[in-house]
Amino acid sequence: MPNFKSFRGTITLISDFKISVNDETGCYKLMSVQDGVGNVVNFVVSPTTYFVNHVTVTIGDSVTGYYDADAPTPMIYPPQFRAIVIAKDTHHQNVKVDYFDSHLLSRDGNLKLNISQYTPILLTNNQFFTKNPANRYLIVLYGPTTMSIPAQTTPYQVIVMC
């Protein structure tokens, strides 16, 4: 069961990343992200990394990278994590990547989803998901929330991570 954590900052470098000595595929990228206080994280971006809204990111973009904090990682500085989800930061949209239980409450207990009949529920390949999204890992795109604990929102979109 993945334990999703995130790191937010500005992209300072994007380069090819070899996964083996003879790898010339160019299918993997190393993305360096620096936050506002000088902390740096390197994300390994693979062909399976999901980019929210299928955007292309470049140096200078503000992004949030989500990774599995329990996955094995090399003991190097700066830390290097395999990016599972990358979201380009926008002012009108929040993103939450987490496990949501049978009540659509996030595992950390901070967000409860109130899905309407108009909320698109999709798979990562942009096809409609026709089952109940509860008890699954979700990428949730949302706007305003209530001031309650947990915060509640009607999401703009839900992406199911199968």
Side-chain angles (χ1 to χ4, degrees):
M1 187 178 261
N3 176 19
F4 284 105
K5 299 291 182 193
S6 65
F7 184 83
R8 172 178 283 155
T10 302
I11 299 172
T12 59
L13 176 72
I14 300 174
S15 62
D16 287 333
F17 183 75
K18 292 185 176 190
I19 58 171
S20 67
V21 175
N22 296 324
D23 179 28
E24 295 297 330
T25 63
C27 293
Y28 289 78
K29 301 290 181 190
L30 189 69
M31 183 181 298
S32 293
V33 177
Q34 183 174 5
D35 70 7
V37 294
N39 297 313
V40 176
V41 165
N42 287 333
F43 286 112
V44 176
V45 178
S46 74
T48 60
T49 300
Y50 181 80
F51 281 79
V52 173
N53 296 324
H54 304 285
V55 299
T56 301
V57 296
T58 59
I59 293 172
D61 287 342
S62 180
V63 298
T64 302
Y66 297 86
Y67 60 94
D68 182 357
D70 293 337
T73 58
M75 296 294 291
I76 59 174
Y77 182 83
Q80 181 174 295
F81 302 114
R82 185 173 86 75
I84 298 171
V85 176
I86 300 281
K88 186 174 178 178
D89 296 341
T90 64
H91 297 291
H92 63 279
Q93 176 177 278
N94 301 303
V95 177
K96 175 93 171 164
V97 179
D98 206 348
Y99 180 83
F100 286 80
D101 68 13
S102 60
H103 302 288
L104 293 173
L105 179 66
S106 62
R107 181 172 23 184
D108 64 10
N110 290 331
L111 187 64
K112 174 148 179 14
L113 306 181
N114 298 315
I115 295 179
S116 81
Q117 64 184 9
Y118 303 108
T119 303
I121 303 173
L122 305 170
L123 295 167
T124 55
N125 63 8
N126 225 34
Q127 301 307 301
F128 286 106
F129 182 76
T130 56
K131 303 290 183 182
N132 185 346
N135 296 312
R136 299 177 189 274
Y137 288 94
L138 305 175
I139 303 167
V140 180
L141 286 58
Y142 65 99
T145 63
T146 62
M147 299 294 281
S148 61
I149 298 176
Q152 296 187 37
T153 189
T154 302
Y156 297 148
Q157 186 178 70
V158 175
I159 297 107
V160 178
M161 300 171 69
C162 290

